[in-house]
Each structure stands twice: as C-alpha cells, then as structure tokens.
Amino acid sequence: MKSIIKHDSSTPPRLRTLQRNGLARRYLFSALLIALVPLGLLAIVYDTQYVRALDKVTESRTNARLSGAENLLRTFLQERIYELEGLADIPEVFEWLTTAQPGDTPDRVMLAQLRQQLDSPHIYGVVTKPARFDQPQWYLTQTLLEGVSWRTLPVTRFAGAELLGPALPTPDRPGWIILRLSPTGFDPAPEAWIGLVIRLASLTEQIQDLTLPGLQAPLIVPPQKVLLTSVGNLKPPGPGSKKDINSRAFIEGWHIRLQWLGDPLLGPLESARFGLIFLAMGVALGVIFLSRHLSKRLDRQVTPLIEGADRVASGDFDTPLGIEGTAEIGYLSFALERMRLRLKRLVKSMVDVERRAVLGQFSAGVAHEIRNPLATIKTTIQALSRKESDPKRQKLMESVDHEIDRVNDVVQLLLDYARPREAKAQKVNVLDVVETVKILADAVAHRHGVELVQVEHSQVFAWADPSQIRQIVMNLVMNAIQALEAIGGRVVIRVRQQGLAVYISVSDNGPGVSADHLSHLTEPFFTTKTNGTGLGLAICKQLAQANQGTLRFQSVPGEGLKVTLRLPLYLNNSNPE
Amino acid sequence: MSRQRAGKFFRRLMLFSTVYLVAMATPQASAEALGAPKEQADVTVGCLYPMSGRAGVLGRDSVVGIRLALKYLEEQAAPDRARLRILLGDTKSKLSTATTLARRFIEDEGASFLCGVVNSSVAIEVTSIAESAGAFFIGTDHASSRLTDEFFHDRYFRVTNDTRQSMTAGALFIKDYFSDHLARKPLRISYLGPDYEYGYQVWADFREALERFGVNYEIAGALWPRLSEPDYSHYINELITEKPDLVVNSLWGGDFVAFVTQATETRLFETARFANFEKGGDYEIFAQLGENMPLGLLLASRHHNNWPETEFNQWFVEEFHREAGYYPSSGAQGAFTGIVAIAEAVKNAGANYKDPLAIEQAFEQLALTTPEDPTGFQSSMDPDSHQIQQVMAIGETVPDDRYPPAKVMLGNWHIYYPAELEPRRAETK
C-alpha cells in the first residue's frame, strides 16, 4: 500500500511507515473493533428482541383474550338477567307490576323478595315500574340517584332485556347500570318492568385479566363513548394511540378498548437505548484516548531503543542505551543493553585477536630480521669497546650496547605479547609474591623518593601461575613508582580475600589517568609515558586472563590510580593441574 | 305445556324453595338469649350483629361486650332495676337476614329495643323497620350520618361516633397535621371506600368538613371496591397512579386488613401518607397484622385499648381479656355502651319505662360515662340529632407490644372534643 505520510528529514521514510503500521495503532483499531462490534451486535439483538417481545405481547394472544373477556361480560349480564327473570316470575311481583294502582305500596312478602336481591355484592338495589305508575319505585339504601335521570340514560337491548346506562361515576359516588325486564316481554314502549341496579364496577372488573401492567390497560367504552377503567372509574379522555385495540361490540354500543400504555414503558427503554449508544461512543472515545496515551508512551520508550540500536549498528558500542520503560519494554531495553555490552566485548576481543595475530607475525619477522643484526652489532661494539682507549668513545659504545639491550627487550616483549606463555596454575602464597616484589622494588622506589607500603594481611592463597603473578604485580608496582617519578609519593599494596577471589591492589597518589585514557590502558602500544612501550599493561591483562583473573583500573584525575588484580582463590578441591 | 313455559315453571319452583328456606330457616338458627329469662324480663332487646365472615369478629366481640355490660350492670345497679333480656341474632352480613331477624325480635319476641348493626346499609333498613314497628333502635357500630339525618326518627339513638363526627375530626387533623403543605399548595387526596352507603357517606362527610374548615385540597380520585373485595391490587395500582399526597381510606375489619396486607407489598405507603379516620385503628387490625402493620399510618377508631388511660377503660379492656382471652375491638365497647345506655335510660324513665315517650326523653337527656371517655369528660346524647357526643382521638401507628399479638398500637395522639366538632352541626342539619 502506498504511504501517504509526509515525513520530515529527521525521520527516515521507512521508519515513519513502520510507525504508521505500529503496534499501538493496530491495538487501537483492534480494541475499537472488539469494543464496538459486540456493542453494535448487542444493540441490534436488543432492538429486534424488544420489538419481537412487544409484538408477541400485543398481538399474539390479544384476540383470544379479548374474545374471552367479551364472553365474561355477556355471561355476567346473562346471570343478572336470569336473577331478574326469577324475580319477575314471583306471583306477588308479577301482580304488583301488572295490577298495582298508583298510591299502592308493595306487601311485605314482595319486599322480602326484593331484599334478597340486595344481599348480592353486585346489586345496589331493585327498581319496579308497575304498568299504571308514572314513575318507577326504587328500593335503594344508597345515595346513588342524585344528579341522574333514568330517562336520559342510553338504552341497549340484550338477550331479551334492556340495559339502561351506565350512570357514569362522579366524585361522590360510583357508576351503575339498570338491567330491566318486562314481565310481558318488551314492546316498543314497555309499561311495566322490573330492574336490577347493578354496580358498574362489577361489570368492568370482568376485564381485569386483560391488564398488562405498564403496557396495556383494558377499558370499556359504553354508548356515551367515555372510557371506563376496570375498577369502574372514568378515565380522562386523551389522545389515542395507533396501537390501541378495539374489540367487537360485546353488546350493542359497548366495546372493550385495550389502551396502549407503551409510552411509560417505552420511555425508559428508549433511554436505555440512548444510554447504550452513548456508552458505545464513550467506550470508543475511551479506547481512542487510551490507545493514544499508550501509543505515545510506547513511542517514548521505544524510540530511545531504536536510536540506541541504530548507534550500535553504526559502531558506537560505548554509549549506554538507557534502561527505561516498564514490563516488556523494560525487559527489551535490558536485553538490548546486554546485547550492546556483549557485542562490545566480542568486537573488542576480535580486534585483540586480530591485532595479536598481526602483531605475532610482525614481531616474529621483526625479531628474525632485527635480533641477528643486533647480536652482530652488539658483539662488534663490545669488541670495539675493549680496544677503545678514549673514555668518551668508550662511554658512547657502552651506551650503544645498552640501547641494543633495550631494543632486544622490546622485541622480547613483542614476542611475549604475540605468543603468550601458557599459565601453569598452582597454589600461590600471595603474600610471599607481594613481599618479594616489594623487596625488589624498594630500592627503585627509594631512588625515586616514593614510599612503598604493604598493608598487612593474613595469609591467603590463589590458584595461579606464581611467576606470571609476580610479573603482573611487579609491573603494576613499577608503573605506580614511575607515575610518581620526580614528584614523590606513596604506593600502597593491599591484599584481600572476598568470596572466592583474591584481590591484589596497587594504588598510588600520583596524577592519575583521565577517563578517556582509562579504557585504553590495556591496549598494546598505548602509553602515557615518554619512554614506555605500551606493552606492559597489555601483557599484564593477557597474563591475568590466562590465570582466570581480571584487571580493574580506577582513577580520579589528580588523586591517583588504583589497579586491582583479581585471581581465583585457592580451594582444597582446586584442580591440581 | 311448551318447553319455554315448562322452564319458567321450574325456575319459579326453585326460587320459591330458596326464598322459603332462607326466610324461615336462617334467623331461627342464629338467635341466642342473654340476661333475664323471657318470663322475668322487663325489657327485651334484640341485638343484630354479623358473627361470621370478614366482619364476624366485630359481632363476636360485641357479644362479649354485651356480657360485660350485663356484668357491669349487675355490679352497679340497684336491686329494683329493670331486668334486661338480650336476644342475639347473626345477620351474616346480609340485609335480608337482618331485616327478617329484626321483625322477628319485635313481633315474635316482644322486643321494644333493637341494638347493634355494623353495616350502615343494613342499619337503614333496620331503622325503617324499628320506626314502623314503634321500637327503639340503639345504634352501636354502624356510622353513616344519614341515620341521624335523612332516616332520622324519634326512636333512633346512636351511642358511638358517626361518620360526620369522625370525618370532622379527620378534617381538623389534616388542617393541623398538613399545615406546612397546605400553606404551599393544595393537598391532593385520593379516597378509597367500600362500595355501599357507609363508604359514600364517609366521603361526603369528609369533603363537607374539609370545605367547612377551609382546607385547600384537590381530589385525585375516588375508588369503590366492593365489600369483602378479595383482590385490591387494581385499586392499589390506581392509587399509586393517581399520585396523591394523602390516601383516605374507610375500609374496616377484614377488608382493611386485606387492603393493608396487599398494600405493604407495593410502594403505596412510601409514595403517599395514609389515613383511616373511622375504624382503621381498631385493635383487631393490629392483632391480625402483627409485625406487618406499617408504622406512621394516621388512624382512628371508636374505642382504643391504650387510650384514654382511665380506670374504667383499663377495667373494660382487662375484663374483656379475662372473658375472651384476647383484647377487644371497638365493636365490643359499642355494644357494651349500647346495653348500658338502654339500662340507664330505662332506669331514668323510672316507673314509666314501658312508656316510649318517657324512654325517648330519658335517652335525649342521657349522660353516660363510657370506657372511651377521658378523665373529666362524660359522653352525652344530643337531643336534636340523637347522636352521642364523644371525644375523638386520632393517632399514628407506633411500635407497642403491650397488647399481644399486636406489635403496633396508636400513639402521638391528637384529641378533639365535641365542642370543637359540633358547633356547626345545627347549621348542616
């Protein structure tokens, strides 16, 4: 894919492209995918299930339930008609309805019959209208008639009877209906009839089972087109919903309405849906923010590593990478730093080997080409010197003889460095070695005004080649004395044992060595002395390594140099070889 | 005979049989007598109480109350007192049974007094029978104010509070208790009362009293569950939907227990204050609900076991407990007072105790100490309305286990004397 990233001169295009496709960005997109896809799926499933549930609730069984409720309502009225028929058939009642004259009062037997009806919880009272009476006679103990004219109530025919009403409920009293029956059958204008004053709530409560709390409220719509609740109250008129369901007329002019109450329930559900969407957006924003934060943090931690790796790649093994970062990045930088140090050592040792190989060939050639002529020259000079009487020339020839010896020594050192002698380890009394060196060096030290001090220590044994150790210690002591040459000072030799190692340190209080020079001290031909060969410490390091030891240099410029030789401790089970 | 006519004949036959069995068999099976035997009795009193169904506890307690009254009269009265014969009839909470029993007591047993009746609709029928038969009817438990108003007659006297008194006290209580709310906005009130005479009258008297005292209120709704309604859930949901500040309820006895039991399962008592100024504070309610009785309900009753703390009330409560093994509901005190009032009126009539006019005058002048009277107060009959004048006590439900099995009783009392309730009665009559 073609990169469209504009890159500046400080960042290589390849790196910018890599960063663009970096782990943090991938993590961001993955996280967004992981967070949003399930949320989206959840929202879709929720929506579809919700709609299905509503459909199921509102449609699947509604018709059957409505039909059942209509039947209950008709049955309730039919039961009352049956009671009314029984009442109208009583001879006293029949006689009263057909023959009573205005001003007559019903006899006790008839009143007892009427009172029987009032024991029913559904019946408020009984009303009779004898044929010759102008007004019906009410048998009611309740104050139900106030504000109602029975003549104005709507009339509905049902199963051979007539339904008057309902007289609608008011704040003072409940609603009621009259179910009336003519003993002679209904003519267009019945003259005699008997009716039951029925509790309206007893009729409306037949539809209570249609209630779905929070979803649907069943209502009865009477001929007045008002809405009656299942507890017989008037419901304030309000805008209908498309989801309202009207039943067929269970009796003429009366039907059931299932009023949809979705809104009160839907509101919280809609809120939940919006909440879900906001939650998804919040999660997405959170993931983006978190990813950017992680990405920047990752950049801060990885960039120094990349730069460090680049430095190592370009040959700079000395600059530390800087171990920073947490967890994986911390481990990575630690591993990279370790890699840098190992690479540094590897390269250095490879250079040493290379250098030594070259030097070996070179020094072997030089030794071959120089030593023979030198031997001839030395013999000649010595012969000439014996015959020379002029003291000045004699002195000059001695001097040439010394210089030939010195050249020979250098050649020997070169040969030693190029072809180091194998160490023959044995139990070495370190204090003996140090004391021997001290005795040998004391004279030189005294000559240069240097105080040579050996710090006392109990006996300690190392596992090393004694002559090589003596050579190293002697070299270190002589270097220290030479460092104090002309200025005087103090050289201290210390021996100590720690763990499984023996340490011999030689320190002086001379000018010391700068930090730059410190790491080059053991390189061959590196010297800070005017007449040094630069091979002494290189050979010492070589000898130390041959004896499984190390050399460590510590210096504070102006305060002196301390060189510490570490050797393996002699143990009883040390290899006797 | 056509098939239709044959069916009609069969229905008639069935109906006659049913009516005959109900009219003839039921009352005779329920009658019981206390006090003096028929041949020694000076006065016969026929008492009508429901002794079965949800209201049965009131009737059964009333019978114990009557026994206590006879015992009390035995201890208090002079040897030459008139001897009472008390007939007890179980109305079974049915109007037809009650009226048949009333007629039988008067016509067959020679009762000159009827007493009792819990249901106001039944009481209206019984008072008509008493009026037409020339008997006295002493109301002990029903409360519709129409009995002393529209259906008032010379021989009707009521010895317990009526709906007008209790709802007037309720209105005064609301004016005081909700004064902070009323100062800010109208109090939204929902009413739920039993669907019969009593429920309508409580509501009418309550609104009349609120308006009389200038209480700022709105009607959130009125609901009318039928007597002995088995399921109040739709009514409770309706009340919650109406979101009133105060629910005023006038259910009583087992109906009130059923309502409260069902309402405690909902958030009704959390969303609105709840009051019943008539019979909601009856001990039987607390006893039946036990630990389930909510705290903080505003209730009253026609008698309280823990108020007033007079010797007479304590005697009555403890004596009842000794007799029955449990504490009395308010019906017991009503019946007790009814019998004591009859004895007192007969005593005050003296030698003329057979003269209805003398009895009527004695009742109109009646002053009586009842267990319900606080110290320094004596119940007295209002000669105009024939309604006894008593102190009203409204309290809140508070934890109190002195009367087991009840765990809650009324406390934080608000007391209203007749002088606070009655001055305007004449205006409203």
Side-chain angles (χ1 to χ4, degrees), chain B residues 10-54:
Chain B
F10 179 72
R11 283 204 303 273
R12 279 187 190 186
L13 191 66
M14 290 294 291
L15 190 76
F16 283 148
S17 310
T18 311
V19 168
Y20 179 81
L21 285 172
V22 170
M24 303 308 291
T26 309
Q28 285 177 351
S30 339
E32 186 188 346
L34 296 174
K38 188 174 183 178
E39 54 279 8
Q40 296 174 9
D42 299 313
V43 174
T44 298
V45 182
C47 291
L48 302 161
Y49 290 104
M51 294 183 202
S52 50
R54 277 188 180 178

Side-chain angles (χ1 to χ4, degrees), chain B residues 188-394:
Chain B
R188 280 175 60 78
I189 297 174
S190 281
Y191 175 73
L192 183 141
D195 192 1
Y196 76 109
E197 162 60 26
Y198 169 76
Y200 313 150
Q201 203 54 41
V202 167
W203 184 222
D205 287 335
F206 182 54
R207 286 182 299 141
E208 189 270 330
L210 287 175
E211 276 154 25
R212 196 191 328 155
F213 294 120
V215 176
N216 190 12
Y217 77 102
E218 283 175 2
I219 299 173
L223 296 167
W224 310 100
R226 65 181 161 88
L227 207 57
S228 300
E229 174 72 49
D231 177 12
Y232 289 98
S233 57
H234 292 280
Y235 295 95
I236 292 167
N237 287 338
E238 193 74 17
L239 284 175
I240 292 170
T241 310
E242 287 171 1
K243 294 181 181 157
D245 300 314
L246 174 70
V247 173
V248 175
N249 175 303
S250 63
L251 298 179
W252 50 272
D255 285 8
F256 188 66
V257 172
F259 179 87
V260 172
T261 304
Q262 290 174 35
T264 48
E265 303 297 323
T266 71
R267 54 193 173 87
L268 177 65
F269 294 136
E270 295 160 21
T271 55
R273 294 309 302 266
F274 185 88
N276 183 320
F277 300 120
E278 261 286 306
K279 299 246 313 158
D282 252 12
Y283 173 77
E284 62 172 284
I285 310 283
F286 303 145
Q288 287 190 52
L289 285 167
E291 287 180 343
N292 295 325
M293 186 71 197
L295 301 177
L297 304 191
L298 311 170
L299 307 176
S301 181
R302 293 175 201 140
H303 171 252
H304 307 280
N305 291 346
N306 59 338
W307 186 93
E309 291 179 345
T310 58
E311 280 186 21
F312 193 18
N313 194 34
Q314 283 171 7
W315 171 85
F316 176 76
V317 173
E318 285 165 14
E319 200 65 22
F320 185 99
H321 190 269
R322 199 172 295 122
E323 180 83 17
Y326 57 90
Y327 291 102
S329 65
S330 68
Q333 195 259 175
F336 175 88
T337 305
I339 299 302
V340 172
I342 291 170
E344 188 71 10
V346 169
K347 187 185 87 177
N348 291 347
N352 297 326
Y353 73 91
K354 295 277 186 189
D355 178 6
L357 200 59
I359 294 290
E360 186 185 324
Q361 284 173 349
F363 258 114
E364 287 179 350
Q365 304 302 318
L366 189 68
L368 198 65
T369 299
T370 73
E372 204 185 337
D373 296 335
T375 307
F377 180 88
Q378 193 175 39
S379 299
S380 59
M381 188 62 71
D382 177 13
D384 295 327
S385 65
H386 291 190
Q387 170 62 47
I388 204 163
Q389 306 299 298
Q390 293 185 314
V391 177
M392 305 291 303
I394 297 174

